[in-house]
């Protein structure tokens, strides 16, 4: 999904460029690719929650090796990085697809 900041201003600037703005377009590629699940009903949510709980148990047991194989390569300095590693790892484990 592409995004565009101040699209209405950039359209005007692209049509009649000024010397004040060398930017031709504000449309940028995605910043990050986020893994997500689409669920249709409560039973699918419950099933997914069970799979994530099982994945968390495995993540807790193999924490150091999973972190070492992650984008952070064994160095995590805060809980947000740990949550990201878990989310990406669990998505890959449950779907069989890489999350990035």
């Amino acid at each position: 999904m592409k995004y565009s900041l101040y699209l209405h201003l950039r359209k005007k600037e692209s049509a009649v460029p000024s010397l004040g703005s060398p930017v031709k377009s504000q449309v940028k590629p995605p910043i990050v690719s986020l893994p997500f699940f689409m669920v249709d009903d409560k039973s699918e949510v419950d099933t997914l929650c069970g799979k994530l709980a099982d994945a968390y148990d495995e993540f807790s047991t193999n924490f150091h090796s999973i972190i070492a194989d992650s984008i952070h390569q064994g160095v995590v300095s805060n809980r947000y990085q740990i949550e990201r590693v878990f989310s990406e790892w669990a998505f890959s484990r449950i779907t069989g697809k890489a999350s990035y």
Side-chain angles (χ1 to χ4, degrees), residues 7-59:
L7 180 62
H8 59 288
L9 296 175
R10 293 297 173 207
K11 282 184 181 179
K12 181 179 177 184
E13 182 64 26
S14 296
V16 183
S18 68
L19 293 176
S21 177
V23 176
K24 299 289 184 206
S25 171
Q26 189 65 29
V27 176
K28 305 290 181 194
I31 296 172
V32 294
S33 296
L34 298 175
F36 63 92
F37 295 96
M38 306 255 327
V39 293
D40 292 322
D41 56 33
K42 184 166 176 12
S43 66
E44 287 184 11
V45 171
D46 294 341
T47 301
L48 181 59
C49 287
K51 289 179 181 180
L52 288 171
D54 292 343
Y56 183 76
D57 291 341
E58 184 179 340
F59 182 80

Side-chain angles (χ1 to χ4, degrees), residues 25-96:
S25 171
Q26 189 65 29
V27 176
K28 305 290 181 194
I31 296 172
V32 294
S33 296
L34 298 175
F36 63 92
F37 295 96
M38 306 255 327
V39 293
D40 292 322
D41 56 33
K42 184 166 176 12
S43 66
E44 287 184 11
V45 171
D46 294 341
T47 301
L48 181 59
C49 287
K51 289 179 181 180
L52 288 171
D54 292 343
Y56 183 76
D57 291 341
E58 184 179 340
F59 182 80
S60 296
T61 304
N62 302 316
F63 174 79
H64 294 292
S65 64
I66 293 169
I67 295 290
D69 293 337
S70 75
I71 192 171
H72 299 290
Q73 298 183 352
V75 180
V76 290
S77 58
N78 60 49
R79 75 178 180 102
Y80 301 109
Q81 291 173 334
I82 294 171
E83 289 173 359
R84 177 179 176 179
V85 171
F86 171 73
S87 297
E88 292 175 349
W89 176 83
F91 179 85
S92 297
R93 183 179 177 277
I94 291 170
T95 64

